[in-house]
Amino acid sequence: MELLSNAPVHHSVPDRYVFPPNKRPTLLSDDHSPDVAFPVIDLHGGALPVSDHRRRHAAEEIIRAGKEFGFFQVVNHGVGECVVRGFREAAAGFFAMPAEDKLPYCSYDMSKRFRLATSTSYDRGETRYWRDYIKFRCYPASDENARHWPSKPSNFTPRLVEYSAAVHELAQTILCLIAEGLGLDGGFFTGDLSGGDTHMSINYYPPCPDPTLTMGLLAHCDRHLLTVLSQADVAGLQARHGERWLLVHPIPGAFVVNFGHQMEIVTNGVLASVEHRAVTNSAVARMSVATHVHPTDGCRIRPASEMVDEAMNPAKYREFAFSEFMEAYDAADASREEVLESFRINHE
């Protein structure tokens, strides 16, 4: 497997990374204008009693941001800067290792609990995204998960354990605030809805000689419940807002949060899963660390009864097992409309 992270510096984009013109980032305008920006939510009140007005305000802001954008950033979230920096340094150290040290982890077998790969593209053909990535189960730090993690660099596992535990706690706080903001019981998302193994995707995008020809990742929606992303200080994440692609501007110390398909279905369409993508740049490497909160495989997914009104707002989706959704998502090649259509209820 030829990894970008071990390749010599490219002075032009190799043919296998050149996308068709209609798939390049120039297809839709990349809007960097200041008139629309993704909300930044201060979570200082997230640990306060439910009766505290600051907690209610945070919950209301999350729901407002979710309805308008499907994306928001959180600050004062309780995850220490040293925890974030420590794991990002360890992850960067993994990508910087010699190719022979990374070879044992290289695989396109999605059943592996830790795998390193370089991206093939949307068409599952020869065209490649401009990225390397690792995907693995990061929480809980059980023996079954931890025995698959790399032994090099030596700080990878201890830093991962610390980081994933802190982000897990943050995700649970956000889920609790979402439930409260929707008028659900605060513990609505606990249990099977968020109780599957938490997965992590770490994407490494080296500098690209011509970012107009290729993509780091094409537009897609996430398949799970919630994503908490560290993008540090290098921009590249874009989310769709209407007919525009908006850059999610990096904010020091912030996490980016977005909803997966399961959130959209459970809330009966109130909080939608929004398409997003990654573009490249020619100046510096970019690394994003995405933590994905999953339901258990056997979890029964359906719109919450509190979100359904048979007369005014009937259920938009049928009940299903999360494992069924995962199969449909893969079969639909992550197409938002195609995968959701498999579970929609068509009311006459």
Side-chain angles (χ1 to χ4, degrees):
M1 185 181 295
E2 182 184 350
L3 298 170
L4 281 166
S5 52
N6 290 111
V9 174
H10 291 286
H11 298 288
S12 62
V13 178
D15 289 344
R16 60 186 176 277
Y17 294 99
V18 176
F19 275 69
N22 67 329
K23 296 291 184 179
R24 297 175 191 172
T26 51
L27 174 63
L28 294 175
S29 63
D30 303 325
D31 197 321
H32 297 189
S33 63
D35 61 323
V36 179
F38 293 99
V40 179
I41 298 172
D42 191 329
L43 290 187
H44 68 273
L48 294 171
V50 175
S51 60
D52 192 289
H53 73 92
R54 289 173 294 178
R55 182 183 180 94
R56 291 198 303 272
H57 180 67
E60 290 166 0
E61 281 194 310
I62 287 174
I63 301 305
R64 190 178 303 115
K67 289 179 177 180
E68 171 67 16
F69 295 96
F71 268 75
F72 54 93
Q73 301 198 61
V74 294
V75 296
N76 292 330
H77 41 65
V79 181
E81 180 183 351
C82 61
V83 174
V84 177
R85 184 175 61 251
F87 180 61
R88 289 187 62 89
E89 289 174 354
F94 177 87
F95 285 107
M97 290 195 306
E100 57 268 23
D101 287 341
K102 292 185 284 192
L103 184 61
Y105 306 104
C106 291
S107 177
Y108 289 113
D109 181 353
M110 291 189 291
S111 69
K112 289 188 174 295
R113 289 190 174 236
F114 186 100
R115 63 188 181 93
L116 164 68
T118 193
S119 286
T120 53
S121 76
Y122 65 97
D123 57 5
R124 298 188 178 182
E126 294 301 317
T127 310
R128 296 182 180 182
Y129 296 121
W130 192 265
R131 70 160 185 166
D132 291 345
Y133 64 89
I134 51 177
K135 291 181 180 289
F136 57 100
R137 302 184 186 198
C138 68
Y139 186 91
S142 62
D143 290 343
E144 180 58 28
N145 286 333
R147 68 185 180 89
H148 298 276
W149 299 340
S151 57
K152 295 180 181 179
S154 61
N155 63 346
F156 188 93
T157 289
R159 296 286 174 82
L160 169 61
V161 169
E162 186 177 27
Y163 177 85
S164 60
V167 173
H168 171 79
E169 183 175 346
L170 169 61
Q172 293 302 315
T173 296
I174 293 170
L175 288 171
C176 189
L177 290 169
I178 291 170
E180 292 168 13
L182 291 171
L184 304 171
D185 180 83
F188 178 83
F189 291 104
T190 59
D192 285 351
L193 274 173
S194 63
D197 280 2
T198 300
H199 292 220
M200 184 176 286
S201 302
I202 305 180
N203 299 308
Y204 175 80
Y205 308 95
C208 177
D210 189 347
T212 67
L213 297 179
T214 190
M215 291 291 296
L217 196 57
L218 273 180
H220 67 286
C221 291
D222 294 337
R223 67 181 77 189
H224 40 269
L225 183 67
L226 190 78
T227 296
V228 180
L229 174 82
S230 165
Q231 67 170 348
D233 57 354
V234 180
L237 173 64
Q238 296 177 328
R240 189 187 290 274
H241 184 252
E243 296 303 313
R244 296 190 291 180
W245 286 104
L246 297 182
L247 188 71
V248 183
H249 291 280
I251 293 174
F255 283 102
V256 180
V257 179
N258 68 279
F259 308 130
H261 282 306
Q262 308 315 305
M263 182 67 75
E264 179 166 352
I265 291 167
V266 167
T267 64
N268 206 30
V270 171
L271 300 178
S273 181
V274 171
E275 285 187 311
H276 49 286
R277 67 184 189 179
V279 295
T280 62
N281 75 83
S282 60
V284 294
R286 175 175 181 265
M287 188 179 71
S288 66
V289 180
T291 302
H292 308 297
V293 178
H294 279 241
T296 60
D297 287 345
C299 179
R300 303 298 300 181
I301 308 290
R302 63 183 178 277
S305 59
E306 296 90 339
M307 308 300 295
V308 173
D309 181 315
E310 292 302 333
M312 302 297 294
N313 187 34
K316 295 179 172 64
Y317 303 96
R318 64 176 175 84
E319 181 176 335
F320 56 88
F322 179 57
S323 57
E324 180 187 353
F325 187 93
M326 294 289 277
E327 293 173 2
Y329 185 94
D330 289 336
D333 217 8
S335 166
R336 171 182 164 77
E337 291 308 311
E338 187 175 340
V339 68
L340 288 179
E341 190 60 34
S342 302
F343 302 94
R344 280 198 180 101
I345 297 174
N346 295 312
H347 298 280
E348 296 297 334

